[in-house]
C-alpha cells in the first residue's frame, strides 16, 4: 500500500492532554458566531476549567454552569485589572460564588485585580424603530450604568452615593461602600481599580470611598 502524501487526521483519542484541556476550556467561552476569542479570554476560560476539574475545589460544581462572554485587561496605576464579562443568564450563578471565584482567579492572575461584570443590552431612544413597543426600564442607559456600578464593587455593597458638580460643569459620582466590607477581600486596595473600571465601561468619573466614622 502507498502512503498518502498528506497527513491523516488524528483520531480523538490521539489528542494530547494539553489539546484536550484547551478544547474543554473553549466551552467556557460564549462568543458570537465567527468571532474568535482573544488570548486573554482563552486564559480566563482555562482558569475556570482548572477550577472546575480541581477535586479539592468547593466551587467546582457552581463553576460548571458558568461561562464568559468576554475579557479585557486595563492598566490601573502600578497594576493591571482583568475585567471579565459574563452572559446575563449565568450572572445569578456567578453571584452565588462571587467572592470565592474572584479569590481563585486572582491567585491564577497574580498581582492583578479581577472584576466581574454582567453583559447587558442597552436600548437607545430609537427602540421603536427596532419593532419594540415599550423599552424596559432595565435597558435604559441610566439603569444599565447603575447595574454596572453594583457589578464592579460586588460582592461589596453600596452604602450611599451622591453626584458632585465640579466648577467646570463636569460630574463626579461619589460612591460610599458599606463600612463592614472595608477589611474584606482587600477591598480598600481596590478602590482605585473600581474607579478605573467604571470609567472604562461607562465613560463616567467616580470616586469610591468608605464613610468616615
Amino acid at each position: 500500500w502507498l502512503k498518502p502524501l498528506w497527513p491523516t487526521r488524528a483520531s480523538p483519542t490521539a489528542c494530547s492532554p494539553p489539546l484536550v484541556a484547551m478544547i474543554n476550556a473553549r466551552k467556557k467561552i460564549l462568543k458570537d458566531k465567527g468571532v474568535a476569542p482573544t488570548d486573554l479570554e482563552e486564559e480566563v476560560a482555562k482558569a475556570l476549567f482548572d477550577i472546575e476539574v480541581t477535586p479539592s475545589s468547593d466551587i467546582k460544581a457552581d463553576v460548571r454552569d458558568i461561562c464568559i462572554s468576554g475579557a479585557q485587561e486595563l492598566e490601573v496605576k502600578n497594576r493591571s485589572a482583568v475585567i471579565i464579562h459574563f452572559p446575563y443568564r449565568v450572572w445569578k450563578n456567578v453571584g452565588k460564588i462571587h467572592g470565592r471565584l474572584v479569590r481563585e482567579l486572582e491567585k491564577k492572575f497574580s498581582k492583578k485585580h479581577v472584576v466581574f461584570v454582567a453583559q447587558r443590552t442597552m436600548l437607545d431612544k430609537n427602540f421603536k424603530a427596532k419593532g419594540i413597543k415599550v423599552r424596559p426600564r432595565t435597558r435604559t442607559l441610566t439603569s444599565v450604568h447603575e447595574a454596572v456600578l453594583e457589578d464592579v464593587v460586588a460582592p461589596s455593597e453600596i452604602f450611599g452615593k451622591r453626584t458632585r458638580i465640579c466648577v467646570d460643569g463636569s460630574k463626579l459620582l461619589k460612591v460610599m461602600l458599606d463600612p463592614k466590607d472595608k477589611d474584606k477581600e482587600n477591598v480598600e486596595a481596590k478602590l482605585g481599580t473600581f474607579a478605573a473600571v467604571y470609567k472604562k465601561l461607562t465613560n463616567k468619573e467616580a470616586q469610591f470611598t468608605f464613610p468616615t466614622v
Side-chain angles (χ1 to χ4, degrees), residues 30-105:
L30 185 65
K31 304 287 285 186
D32 291 334
K33 189 174 181 180
V35 179
T38 64
D39 291 343
L40 177 61
E41 288 165 352
E42 289 190 342
E43 196 176 348
V44 172
K46 184 180 181 303
L48 288 173
F49 181 70
D50 288 345
I51 296 171
E52 183 181 322
V53 297
T54 301
S56 59
S57 174
D58 61 343
I59 60 174
K60 60 182 179 180
D62 297 287
V63 173
R64 191 174 297 122
D65 298 324
I66 291 174
C67 60
I68 68 169
S69 56
Q72 57 190 131
E73 195 163 349
L74 179 66
E75 292 298 323
V76 184
K77 293 185 179 179
N78 297 326
R79 80 163 63 224
S80 297
V82 177
I83 309 169
I84 302 176
H85 300 265
F86 293 88
Y88 188 74
R89 63 180 176 82
V90 305
W91 187 242
K92 187 177 289 187
N93 296 333
V94 174
K96 295 176 183 177
I97 56 171
H98 199 297
R100 287 176 291 171
L101 186 56
V102 165
R103 281 199 303 272
E104 290 298 321
L105 290 176

Side-chain angles (χ1 to χ4, degrees), residues 4-206:
L5 297 178
W6 56 88
T8 57
R9 180 178 294 179
S11 63
T13 56
C15 291
S16 63
L19 180 60
V20 172
M22 184 182 74
I23 293 172
N24 287 327
R26 279 282 184 94
K27 296 177 182 177
K28 308 297 289 182
I29 309 174
L30 185 65
K31 304 287 285 186
D32 291 334
K33 189 174 181 180
V35 179
T38 64
D39 291 343
L40 177 61
E41 288 165 352
E42 289 190 342
E43 196 176 348
V44 172
K46 184 180 181 303
L48 288 173
F49 181 70
D50 288 345
I51 296 171
E52 183 181 322
V53 297
T54 301
S56 59
S57 174
D58 61 343
I59 60 174
K60 60 182 179 180
D62 297 287
V63 173
R64 191 174 297 122
D65 298 324
I66 291 174
C67 60
I68 68 169
S69 56
Q72 57 190 131
E73 195 163 349
L74 179 66
E75 292 298 323
V76 184
K77 293 185 179 179
N78 297 326
R79 80 163 63 224
S80 297
V82 177
I83 309 169
I84 302 176
H85 300 265
F86 293 88
Y88 188 74
R89 63 180 176 82
V90 305
W91 187 242
K92 187 177 289 187
N93 296 333
V94 174
K96 295 176 183 177
I97 56 171
H98 199 297
R100 287 176 291 171
L101 186 56
V102 165
R103 281 199 303 272
E104 290 298 321
L105 290 176
E106 286 186 338
K107 289 177 186 175
K108 295 180 180 294
F109 293 92
S110 59
K111 297 182 180 179
K112 293 181 181 180
H113 287 157
V114 174
V115 177
F116 295 163
V117 180
Q119 196 77 41
R120 294 179 174 85
T121 303
M122 196 183 307
L123 293 176
D124 58 28
K125 295 180 180 180
N126 298 322
F127 64 92
K128 290 185 178 179
K130 300 176 182 178
I132 301 172
K133 294 182 179 180
V134 179
R135 178 175 60 170
R137 184 187 173 279
T138 55
R139 299 290 188 89
T140 63
L141 176 71
T142 301
S143 181
V144 169
H145 283 184
E146 285 178 354
V148 168
L149 184 65
E150 293 176 357
D151 290 353
V152 168
V153 302
S156 298
E157 295 182 355
I158 295 174
F159 187 73
K161 55 186 175 181
R162 59 190 176 87
T163 301
R164 177 184 173 188
I165 309 297
C166 301
V167 178
D168 60 0
S170 61
K171 295 181 180 180
L172 174 66
L173 179 63
K174 303 195 77 173
V175 183
M176 289 171 285
L177 303 181
D178 195 326
K180 67 178 173 52
D181 294 326
K182 187 173 184 178
D183 300 321
K184 289 183 180 179
E185 313 299 337
N186 202 24
V187 173
E188 193 166 17
K190 294 183 178 181
L191 298 180
T193 298
F194 294 160
V197 171
Y198 185 71
K199 168 80 171 178
K200 174 73 175 177
L201 298 177
T202 66
N203 202 32
K204 291 181 178 179
E205 298 285 350

